[in-house]
Amino acid sequence: MHISVISILIPLVNEIPEELTLRDTSIAQVVGFGLFIAFGLLAITKLLNKDVFRTLFMANWKGNTIEQYVKEEHSIKSGWSFILIVNYWLSFSLFGYVITDLPGIDDMTLLLLVIFIPIGWLFLSQLNLYLCSILTGEYKILVQFFYFRIVGAQLMGIVLFVLCSFWILSNMPSRTLIWLVSVALALEFFIRLIKSTVFARQKRISWYYIILYICTLETLPLLVCYYLVVQGVQV
């Protein structure tokens, strides 16, 4: 296991340059401008709430106490919380734009990756949760999953900002950035899935409904986004 981990990390370490140099490409210029805006958004967020990054990190580790925490420490109804969501959309969109550095991407696919994939990744699952709460009447339980998704997206926005910033300031290949972002998204997904499952079991929800939730409200939006990306790259 130790050898396999090292064999995976060595190629990534070898691709990290000794010094950071700005890429001189049209894609880098667009991404650089977008990252400048994202940096401004994060700076405004910090001005509005000096403890925002600490509370965001803590919120992502909360389980069955997430509802109380977002009401007292990390309000998702505040202006700075909305800015974090905008940063998530912008940073995710910039990552989608980086994918256009790969061959086989047309203009329509570019628009799809840059605009609709980030929206679908977040809001499709949220819409499913809302509809499910209406049909089942279990709003108090499903709202916990809503909080898990929101704070997870806010944290992923910061992670994507950092990774895209490192990409633009280095010779990191676009495929390496895609691999790193995929790992980050997968970790956020599985951690959130574990928290949701533990919370559901604490509420004595049967495994049948838990599996149904995972397949429909979590995995389905993920598969739809993955299918659209793969089909777009193969155009």
Side-chain angles (χ1 to χ4, degrees):
M1 179 64 180
H2 179 68
I3 296 177
S4 62
V5 172
I6 293 179
S7 64
I8 294 174
L9 293 178
I10 285 179
L12 295 176
V13 173
N14 292 335
E15 291 174 350
I16 299 177
E18 295 181 358
E19 61 182 65
L20 300 179
T21 56
L22 184 64
R23 292 172 180 255
D24 186 19
T25 64
S26 58
I27 290 181
Q29 292 173 3
V30 174
V31 174
F33 180 73
L35 289 174
F36 178 77
I37 296 176
F39 178 80
L41 292 175
L42 293 176
I44 294 174
T45 304
K46 182 68 174 177
L47 288 175
L48 295 176
N49 183 0
K50 63 179 181 179
D51 295 327
V52 61
F53 300 125
R54 178 187 64 82
T55 59
L56 177 58
F57 178 79
M58 294 299 298
N60 276 272
W61 288 102
K62 296 295 180 179
N64 57 358
T65 60
I66 181 67
E67 183 175 8
Q68 179 180 358
Y69 190 80
V70 297
K71 289 180 178 179
E72 298 178 356
E73 300 289 339
H74 189 82
S75 175
I76 63 173
K77 297 181 180 179
S78 61
W80 51 261
S81 181
F82 176 75
I83 295 177
L84 287 176
I85 292 296
V86 175
N87 174 72
Y88 155 83
W89 174 81
L90 177 59
S91 299
F92 209 146
S93 296
L94 293 174
F95 166 67
Y97 196 79
V98 171
I99 297 178
T100 63
D101 195 25
L102 299 175
I105 301 292
D106 57 20
D107 293 339
M108 184 58 65
T109 303
L110 168 62
L111 181 65
L112 179 68
L113 292 174
V114 171
I115 298 179
F116 294 109
I117 292 299
I119 295 176
W121 185 278
L122 175 62
F123 293 106
L124 183 58
S125 60
Q126 299 299 73
L127 177 61
N128 289 338
L129 280 174
Y130 177 73
L131 294 176
C132 187
S133 65
I134 294 177
L135 295 175
T136 62
E138 297 291 347
Y139 173 80
K140 292 185 178 181
I141 294 179
L142 292 175
V143 73
Q144 304 284 338
F145 303 153
F146 173 84
Y147 294 143
F148 290 151
R149 190 69 182 93
I150 290 296
V151 297
Q154 291 176 339
L155 182 61
M156 279 307 308
I158 297 177
V159 173
L160 288 168
F161 168 79
V162 172
L163 292 178
C164 288
S165 298
F166 188 79
W167 173 84
I168 202 173
L169 294 173
S170 71
N171 294 321
M172 177 193 297
S174 298
R175 293 187 181 276
T176 302
L177 175 65
I178 294 173
W179 187 90
L180 291 174
V181 171
S182 299
V183 170
L185 290 173
L187 285 175
E188 189 275 333
F189 174 78
F190 285 112
I191 291 175
R192 176 163 47 83
L193 206 60
I194 292 173
K195 291 192 299 183
S196 299
T197 302
V198 171
F199 174 78
R201 288 303 297 165
Q202 290 177 342
K203 296 298 181 179
R204 298 183 178 182
I205 297 177
S206 68
W207 281 106
Y208 171 79
Y209 291 106
I210 293 176
I211 295 175
L212 187 62
Y213 160 78
I214 294 174
C215 293
T216 56
L217 303 185
E218 293 288 353
T219 307
L220 184 58
L222 178 64
L223 292 178
V224 170
C225 293
Y226 174 79
Y227 173 79
L228 293 175
V229 171
V230 170
Q231 289 298 312
V233 172
Q234 293 178 351
V235 170

